[in-house]
């Protein structure tokens, strides 16, 4: 009689151990595969100097080493106001985990780029406009000449905005154990590295030679990027994330006036600091 009892107890112990192990492996955060992610956040951006070339009928010139900044709004209700969400500098991302460590995403980085005005810049090229044109006051040959670039001559902004529409692949690694976090279904810390590429679809606010202002969306070029970040996931489904992102932008066809025959081009490097909130879920 003792042998069956001992055997039953032994079987129950094995089953209990198996169940505990199985429960451990069933943690929601143990596997990311087939999860969707969505995030929304804000950014600050900085830009390298760039040479901006403007061309059209009667002129072609380059502003050397133009500088620019972003247009921050700070902590503001507009980030969560549906009717005003596109006014601040924002970041939207939608993604899907193809494995436990890799996710593919699409997103939009809505940055803002404002060229610095009222600065002396070196100009190369020529302006030869008809005398009745408002810009004729700037006529001349510019051979490495210095000129104060102010609003009567040029206003140039990608303020609604410098829209980088991209796809990316990212790797996620759980580093919770380094901080002695055991129950990752409550808190999980991940480190993320990502690489992306996409198109630039800016809405460029431009006034050239005191002419009619132009402000419209236009497909202008391409960009590539790389980023690294920390992701804190809590209660399985929610997270906050901080990223540092950098990349290269090449815009060869920027609309500057209502005339489709006139355009600008520039290329530069950018860097963003991004703070976002998001969610993870399976469907």
């Amino acid at each position: 009689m003792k042998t069956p009892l001992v055997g039953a107890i032994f079987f129950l112990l094995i089953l209990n151990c198996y169940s505990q192990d199985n429960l451990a492996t069933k943690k929601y955060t143990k596997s990311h595969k087939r999860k969707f992610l969505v995030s929304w956040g804000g950014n600050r951006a900085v830009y390298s100097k760039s040479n901006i070339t403007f061309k059209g009928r009667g002129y072609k010139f380059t502003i050397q080493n133009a500088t620019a900044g972003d247009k921050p709004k700070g902590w503001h209700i507009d980030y969560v106001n549906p009717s005003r969400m596109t006014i601040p500098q924002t970041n939207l991302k939608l993604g899907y985990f193809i494995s436990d460590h890799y996710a593919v995403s699409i997103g939009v980085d809505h940055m803002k780029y404002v060229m610095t005005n009222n600065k002396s810049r070196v100009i190369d090229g020529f302006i030869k406009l008809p005398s009745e044109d408002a810009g004729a006051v700037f006529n001349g040959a510019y051979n490495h000449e210095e000129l104060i670039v102010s609003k009567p001559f040029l206003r140039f902004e990608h303020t609604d905005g410098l829209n980088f529409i991209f796809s990316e692949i990212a790797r996620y690694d759980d580093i919770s154990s380094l901080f002695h976090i055991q129950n990752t279904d409550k808190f999980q810390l991940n480190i993320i590295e990502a690489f992306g590429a996409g198109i630039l679809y800016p809405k460029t606010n431009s006034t050239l030679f005191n002419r009619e202002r132009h402000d419209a969306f236009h497909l202008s070029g391409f960009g590539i990027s790389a980023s690294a970040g920390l992701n804190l996931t809590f209660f399985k489904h929610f997270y906050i994330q901080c990223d540092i992102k950098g990349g290269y932008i090449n815009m060869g066809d920027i609309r500057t006036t209502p005339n489709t025959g006139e355009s600008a081009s520039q290329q530069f490097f950018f860097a963003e600091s991004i703070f976002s909130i998001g969610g993870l879920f399976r469907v």
Side-chain angles (χ1 to χ4, degrees):
M1 293 295 292
K2 290 183 179 180
T3 302
L5 182 60
V6 171
I9 292 171
F10 183 72
F11 174 78
L12 289 172
L13 288 171
I14 292 175
L15 183 61
N16 182 63
C17 291
Y18 174 80
S19 298
Q20 292 294 328
D21 289 342
N22 201 38
L23 282 172
T25 61
K26 283 186 176 180
K27 278 190 172 69
Y28 188 82
T29 50
K30 194 73 174 179
S31 172
H32 285 313
K33 189 175 181 180
R34 292 190 294 275
K35 287 180 184 176
F36 289 88
L37 65 88
V38 58
S39 68
W40 174 258
N43 68 74
R44 288 297 310 271
V46 295
Y47 310 104
S48 68
K49 294 179 179 179
S50 68
N51 298 335
I52 311 176
T53 298
F54 296 82
K55 61 182 180 180
R57 187 174 181 179
Y59 67 90
K60 183 177 181 181
F61 64 90
T62 299
I63 299 175
Q64 304 285 349
N65 295 319
T67 59
D70 65 351
K71 195 174 182 180
K73 203 168 180 70
W75 296 95
H76 203 281
I77 191 66
D78 283 356
Y79 282 98
V80 292
N81 182 343
S83 66
R84 297 177 64 83
M85 277 183 163
T86 61
I87 294 176
Q89 300 176 181
T90 55
N91 301 76
L92 172 66
K93 186 183 293 185
L94 302 170
Y96 179 73
F97 281 89
I98 57 176
S99 71
D100 286 341
H101 290 287
Y102 287 95
V104 291
S105 303
I106 57 173
V108 180
D109 287 359
H110 178 76
M111 299 174 279
K112 293 181 185 289
Y113 178 103
V114 181
M115 189 190 75
T116 308
N117 277 101
N118 301 313
K119 294 287 185 181
S120 178
R121 302 295 184 198
V122 173
I123 309 292
D124 284 303
F126 70 91
I127 301 172
K128 192 176 181 180
L129 299 171
S131 58
E132 65 273 14
D133 193 297
V137 295
F138 301 107
N139 280 355
Y142 296 87
N143 183 17
H144 224 60
E145 306 284 340
E146 288 199 3
L147 179 71
I148 299 295
V149 178
S150 59
K151 287 185 179 179
F153 178 70
L154 173 67
R155 177 184 181 181
F156 186 72
E157 305 176 356
H158 311 297
T159 44
D160 199 27
L162 183 65
N163 299 310
F164 180 35
I165 304 170
F166 62 89
S167 59
E168 73 174 17
I169 184 164
R171 179 178 172 90
Y172 288 67
D173 288 290
D174 184 354
I175 58 171
S176 304
S177 60
L178 297 178
F179 297 88
H180 307 289
I181 300 172
Q182 297 183 359
N183 187 350
T184 54
D185 274 2
K186 287 187 177 179
F187 296 101
Q188 183 185 43
L189 190 63
N190 297 284
I191 188 169
I192 306 161
E193 307 91 24
F195 296 92
I199 61 171
L200 270 297
Y201 192 62
K203 189 178 184 186
T204 302
N205 180 3
S206 173
T207 306
L208 181 62
F209 304 145
N210 269 327
R211 292 174 171 178
E212 181 183 352
R213 173 175 170 266
H214 181 74
D215 187 14
F217 290 104
H218 182 65
L219 178 60
S220 298
F222 69 92
I224 56 174
S225 65
S227 64
L230 284 174
N231 168 293
L232 176 62
T233 300
F234 50 96
F235 305 125
K236 304 179 189 178
H237 299 290
F238 310 101
Y239 66 83
I240 56 175
Q241 187 167 315
C242 297
D243 295 279
I244 298 297
K245 184 173 186 176
Y248 166 76
I249 285 172
N250 186 319
M251 292 192 290
D253 184 22
I254 304 167
R255 289 291 305 277
T256 54
T257 74
N259 185 342
T260 57
E262 299 181 301
S263 65
S265 60
Q266 67 177 149
Q267 50 187 302
F268 55 88
F269 295 95
F270 72 95
E272 290 179 86
S273 58
I274 304 168
F275 177 81
S276 56
I277 59 174
L280 290 164
F281 57 91
R282 286 194 178 99
V283 295

